[in-house]
């Protein structure tokens, strides 16, 4: 494997200063540097706030044309509030611009993150999953698409976009390769789960090998990789103001191929995506097959990001129209059938079964006796969340962190629902956060249920790994959701917990136990996304304007489909 790149901050700073910006905002930037930036709840109306109906081809809104440094033009609609990094964050500053003293572990975190950088032919293209010399490598020496996202956000926030651009280009080019598993061809739009850079010392030549699921445990292709790639491409564009990458024909084609897989019409009567176990961050058998919340939230966010990135021309007309229709259907379905609060829980408790026709209240024929006992104690009077899964005669009432946080960041959750999710986190702090942020799901499966659902998986025992384990990487998602909902104190409290242990424990992949007290029994140390997740959370808390990379504003013309319940009222 090639040696990591030592990125010089001073060199990058000079480059950032010399590069022409698409948006001249010297006065605003000067004001930012003079005083702390407060979270601006009432933002200007940006591209992301415009309704999906306004995005139709037949009624295109006024557009602005910006020119990039190579004098090529690109139509991007009203890119208000694009963040352009103009200073360094944390590591080499004696004191943060926004009044926070840098924590002693920030420098250690940056050093560890830079050690994980992978080169391909003298260019940085990503970060490997972990550098843990005490354990067998397996596939932790590879660059994973989902794992690289927090690393990419950290580099973007620190004014180092080159590695992110290289990664985006490399993965979209890997997408075009033929993909076969046991002589069965995968769809053209499938993105790799990971790739590995190999060096031939004899020929002094480097190659990249992609894994589309053919080497994965369980041989499941990743559904989430394509969504994360689209989301990261938007983050890069918002951060740098560089529209030339997204407008490249191969990137436009890559977006369309991903969406063609998801928007194709078939037998399904739901707008959600039917998925196998192991197709996302929870990449082992955990009973999340069907329509898991993580995939549906990422799908919704990727659709909205795609509208931002696709050129509004004849070639993309059909794709954009399909996106708009699916967004309306998906938001209605998720807000109506996945949402759970005390009122909805009581309604399910009193469901009648065997109802027929469109007038049915219990549309999925869920048996009230299937309600787990724990959910009655877990549900606070104020608060709510999107449950894990909904399908015929089945509701998975487990809390899944990533799906709920992405629902907030993508504005799949209405403002009332977003606030209720954060109410739940505060009310159930011990269960969901404990002594180390943050539970991947709650509660854990135990006993007979664990044996049947996981297939007696020894890695997913109760309160470990994917089965109720604690994952520090989720800290950045909680922080982003807390800032967006105006609750930075939640993020600050969680970050302080993480800072008390992460460096001392050598940045483990996950923690075990109901409270997250113990380093995971098979957890890798110096896990890259644990390191990057902390850095992203820290930088967002110090400068909330970073949130614009990863957050989408509510669409004002999307009508909430649910009435306010008591759990949403103040």
């Amino acid at each position: 494997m090639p040696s990591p790149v030592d990125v010089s901050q001073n060199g990058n700073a000079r480059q950032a200063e010399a590069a022409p910006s698409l948006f001249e905002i010297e006065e605003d930037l000067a004001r930012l540097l003079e005083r702390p930036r407060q979270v601006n709840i009432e933002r200007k109306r940006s591209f992301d706030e415009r309704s999906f109906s306004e995005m139709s081809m037949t009624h295109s809104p006024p557009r602005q044309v910006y020119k990039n440094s190579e004098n090529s033009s690109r139509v991007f609609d009203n890119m208000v509030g694009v963040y352009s990094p103009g200073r360094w964050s944390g590591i080499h500053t004696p004191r943060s611009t926004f009044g926070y003293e840098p924590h002693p572990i920030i420098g250690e975190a940056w050093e560890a993150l830079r050690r994980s950088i992978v080169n391909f032919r003298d260019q940085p293209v990503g970060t490997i999953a972990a550098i843990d010399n005490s354990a067998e490598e397996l596939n932790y020496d590879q660059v994973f698409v989902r794992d690289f996202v927090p690393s990419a956000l950290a580099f973007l926030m620190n004014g180092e976009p080159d590695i992110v651009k290289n990664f985006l280009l490399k993965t979209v080019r890997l997408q075009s390769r033929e993909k076969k598993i046991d002589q069965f061809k995968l769809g053209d739009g499938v993105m790799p789960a990971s790739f590995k850079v190999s060096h031939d010392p004899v020929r002094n030549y480097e190659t990249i090998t992609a894994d589309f699921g053919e080497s994965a445990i369980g041989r499941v292709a990743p559904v989430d990789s394509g969504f994360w790639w689209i989301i990261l491409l938007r983050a890069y564009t918002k951060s740098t103001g560089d529209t030339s990458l997204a407008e490249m024909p191969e990137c436009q084609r890559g977006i369309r191929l991903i969406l063609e897989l998801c928007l194709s019409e078939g037998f399904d009567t739901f707008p959600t995506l039917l998925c196998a176990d192991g197709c996302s961050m929870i990449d082992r058998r955990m009973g999340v097959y069907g329509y898991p919340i993580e995939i549906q939230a990422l799908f919704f966010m990727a659709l909205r990001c795609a509208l931002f990135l696709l050129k509004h021309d004849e070639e993309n007309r059909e794709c954009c129209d399909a996106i708009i229709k699916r967004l309306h259907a998906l938001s209605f379905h998720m807000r109506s059938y996945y949402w759970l609060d005390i009122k909805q829980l009581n309604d399910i408790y009193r469901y009648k079964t065997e109802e027929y026709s469109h007038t049915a209240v219990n549309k999925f024929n869920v048996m009230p006796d299937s309600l787990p006992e724990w959910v009655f104690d877990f549900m606070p009077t104020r608060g709510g969340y999107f449950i894990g899964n909904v399908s015929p005669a089945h509701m998975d009432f487990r809390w899944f962190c990533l799906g709920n946080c992405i629902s907030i960041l993508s504005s799949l959750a209405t403002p009332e629902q977003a606030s209720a999710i954060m109410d739940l986190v505060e009310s159930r702090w011990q269960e969901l956060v404990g002594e180390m942020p943050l539970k991947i799901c709650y509660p854990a499966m135990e006993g007979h249920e664990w044996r049947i659902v996981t297939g007696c998986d020894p890695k997913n025992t109760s309160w470990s790994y994917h089965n109720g384990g604690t994952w520090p990487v989720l800290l950045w998602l909680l922080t982003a959701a807390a800032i967006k909902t105006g609750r930075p104190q939640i993020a600050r409290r969680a970050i302080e917990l993480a800072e008390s242990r992460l460096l001392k424990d050598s940045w483990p992949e996950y923690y075990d136990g109901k409270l997250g007290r113990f380093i995971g029994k098979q957890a890798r140390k110096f896990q890259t996304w644990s390191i990057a997740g902390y850095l992203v959370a820290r930088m967002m808390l110090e400068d909330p304007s970073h949130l614009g990379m990863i957050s989408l504003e509510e669409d004002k013309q999307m009508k909430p489909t649910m009435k306010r319940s008591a759990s949403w009222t103040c």
Side-chain angles (χ1 to χ4, degrees):
M1 186 177 68
S3 60
V5 172
D6 181 15
V7 180
S8 168
Q9 286 200 359
N10 293 330
N12 279 328
R14 288 193 296 268
Q15 183 181 357
E17 292 170 359
S21 173
L22 294 175
F23 308 95
E24 300 299 327
I25 55 172
E26 288 92 355
E27 294 180 2
D28 291 340
L29 183 58
R31 286 196 293 270
L32 280 175
L33 296 174
E34 287 173 2
R35 62 180 183 275
R37 170 87 176 263
Q38 301 298 322
V39 180
N40 184 9
I41 302 302
E42 293 297 324
R43 299 178 178 88
K44 291 183 178 180
R45 191 166 185 265
S46 67
F47 179 97
D48 300 316
E49 293 176 274
R50 298 221 317 278
S51 70
F52 304 134
S53 59
E54 286 180 86
M55 294 303 303
S56 65
M57 294 298 176
T58 54
H59 297 90
S60 297
R63 298 174 178 175
Q64 297 179 22
V65 178
Y66 300 99
K67 292 188 177 181
N68 60 30
S69 58
E70 297 176 353
N71 296 321
S72 65
S73 62
R74 162 77 161 97
V75 177
F76 259 24
D77 290 46
N78 196 17
M79 288 176 61
V80 177
V82 174
Y83 171 72
S84 298
R87 59 180 175 77
W88 296 104
S89 174
I91 179 171
H92 286 313
T93 53
R95 182 178 178 84
S96 166
T97 301
F98 295 95
Y100 294 91
E101 285 289 350
H103 195 279
I105 75 171
I106 292 176
E108 298 280 356
W110 273 111
E111 184 179 343
L113 180 60
R114 297 192 190 285
R115 284 200 303 269
S116 71
I117 294 175
V118 173
N119 280 347
F120 178 68
R121 298 176 186 173
D122 297 325
Q123 286 190 325
V125 293
T127 52
I128 62 174
I131 305 179
D132 186 355
N133 297 323
S134 65
E136 184 184 354
E137 274 189 350
L138 291 177
N139 58 355
Y140 284 77
D141 62 343
Q142 299 187 24
V143 179
F144 281 81
V145 173
R146 75 174 68 95
D147 289 41
F148 181 67
V149 170
S151 296
L153 294 177
F155 288 124
L156 288 173
M157 291 177 185
N158 210 41
E160 303 177 53
D162 288 349
I163 185 173
V164 183
K165 183 176 183 178
N166 295 337
F167 170 86
L168 290 166
L169 282 172
K170 186 54 61 182
T171 46
V172 79
R173 288 165 184 167
L174 290 172
Q175 180 197 38
S176 64
R177 294 186 179 180
E178 186 179 46
K179 301 172 276 285
K180 279 188 176 182
I181 298 180
D182 294 335
Q183 301 182 10
F184 182 75
K185 187 176 182 297
L186 277 66
D188 290 337
V190 174
M191 279 284 186
S194 64
F195 63 83
K196 181 175 181 177
V197 176
S198 301
H199 180 71
D200 184 342
V202 177
R203 298 168 56 202
N204 194 26
Y205 190 74
E206 291 177 332
T207 58
I208 283 186
T209 305
D211 177 14
F212 294 95
E214 68 270 28
S215 300
I217 295 174
R219 300 302 187 268
V220 177
V223 176
D224 62 336
S225 289
F227 298 152
W228 279 122
W229 184 86
I230 293 174
I231 292 166
L232 184 56
L233 180 57
R234 176 194 174 271
Y236 170 87
T237 305
K238 291 285 284 187
S239 172
T240 64
D242 174 17
T243 63
S244 62
L245 177 62
E247 72 177 347
M248 290 177 63
E250 56 191 320
C251 288
Q252 293 284 299
R253 179 177 180 271
I255 295 170
R256 287 196 304 272
L257 287 176
I258 293 168
L259 298 183
E260 284 171 7
L261 280 178
C262 308
L263 297 174
S264 59
E265 297 173 348
F267 288 100
D268 211 327
T269 58
F270 308 146
T272 43
L273 287 181
L274 182 61
C275 302
D277 252 332
C279 66
S280 62
M281 178 181 174
I282 299 177
D283 57 4
R284 298 168 79 94
R285 181 177 165 188
M286 269 287 292
V288 296
Y289 57 87
Y291 306 90
I293 179 63
E294 175 179 335
I295 292 298
Q296 313 315 319
L298 285 171
F299 181 33
F300 182 87
M301 189 168 192
L303 288 174
R304 293 199 63 193
C305 290
L307 275 182
F308 175 83
L309 296 166
L310 286 171
K311 292 181 181 180
H312 300 157
D313 55 19
E314 192 64 30
E315 187 177 17
N316 292 325
R317 176 192 296 271
E318 185 177 345
C319 186
C320 287
D321 286 345
I323 290 173
I324 293 164
K325 291 176 183 176
R326 191 61 162 264
L327 282 169
H328 280 284
L330 186 59
S331 63
F332 174 88
H333 185 91
M334 299 298 295
R335 293 171 181 176
S336 299
Y337 304 128
Y338 276 67
W339 182 252
L340 188 71
D341 57 16
I342 191 69
K343 179 184 181 301
Q344 182 68 5
L345 181 59
N346 193 65
D347 289 344
I348 297 171
Y349 180 70
R350 292 169 52 82
Y351 266 168
K352 294 181 173 61
T353 60
E354 308 303 324
E355 294 182 299
Y356 180 74
S357 90
H358 64 276
T359 60
V361 175
N362 184 2
K363 295 181 184 297
F364 298 94
N365 200 35
V366 174
M367 306 299 163
D369 288 346
S370 69
L371 280 163
E373 291 184 6
W374 64 264
V375 75
F376 294 98
D377 293 329
F378 181 70
M379 181 60 68
T381 303
R382 288 185 57 193
Y385 64 103
F386 288 103
I387 63 174
N389 221 318
V390 175
S391 56
H394 172 65
M395 282 186 170
D396 183 348
F397 291 93
R398 284 177 293 176
W399 149 273
F400 289 88
C401 177
L402 192 150
N404 276 272
C405 288
I406 291 293
S407 295
I408 292 175
L409 296 177
S410 65
S411 290
L412 171 59
T414 65
E416 294 86 357
Q417 288 172 335
S419 181
I421 291 170
M422 300 312 294
D423 285 340
L424 178 83
V425 171
E426 288 192 295
S427 299
R428 297 293 175 256
W429 187 266
Q430 281 294 97
E431 292 91 336
L432 300 180
V433 181
E435 296 185 16
M436 171 60 68
L438 189 67
K439 283 276 178 280
I440 189 173
C441 70
Y442 180 89
M445 292 179 287
E446 301 177 290
H448 181 68
E449 183 185 22
W450 165 78
R451 286 191 289 272
I452 295 299
V453 175
T454 74
C456 299
D457 187 345
K459 197 166 184 177
N460 273 333
T461 54
S462 299
W463 308 108
S464 179
Y465 204 45
H466 299 130
N467 189 15
T470 293
W471 292 71
V473 64
L474 298 171
L475 182 63
W476 79 265
L477 286 159
L478 177 67
T479 299
I483 293 171
K484 181 169 183 177
T485 53
R487 315 263 189 109
Q489 70 279 5
I490 293 178
R492 189 173 295 110
R493 183 182 176 188
I495 289 172
E496 288 173 357
L497 279 174
E499 287 175 337
S500 67
R501 294 185 59 187
L502 280 178
L503 179 61
K504 180 178 62 177
D505 295 340
S506 301
W507 308 99
E509 180 182 15
Y510 63 93
Y511 287 81
D512 285 351
K514 287 187 177 181
L515 298 177
R517 284 185 172 182
F518 309 103
I519 298 173
K521 56 189 174 184
Q522 295 187 44
R524 302 301 166 119
K525 294 189 175 182
F526 294 98
Q527 184 80 14
T528 303
W529 70 353
S530 296
I531 297 164
Y534 163 72
L535 287 171
V536 171
R538 249 292 172 179
M539 286 190 281
M540 275 196 292
L541 189 62
E542 292 178 1
D543 182 358
S545 70
H546 288 310
L547 184 65
M549 291 186 205
I550 202 68
S551 176
L552 302 172
E553 296 303 321
E554 179 194 13
D555 188 283
K556 303 299 183 183
Q557 297 196 16
M558 292 281 291
K559 303 293 184 184
T561 59
M562 298 183 64
K563 295 180 181 179
R564 290 178 64 124
S565 70
S567 70
W568 296 351
T569 57
C570 296

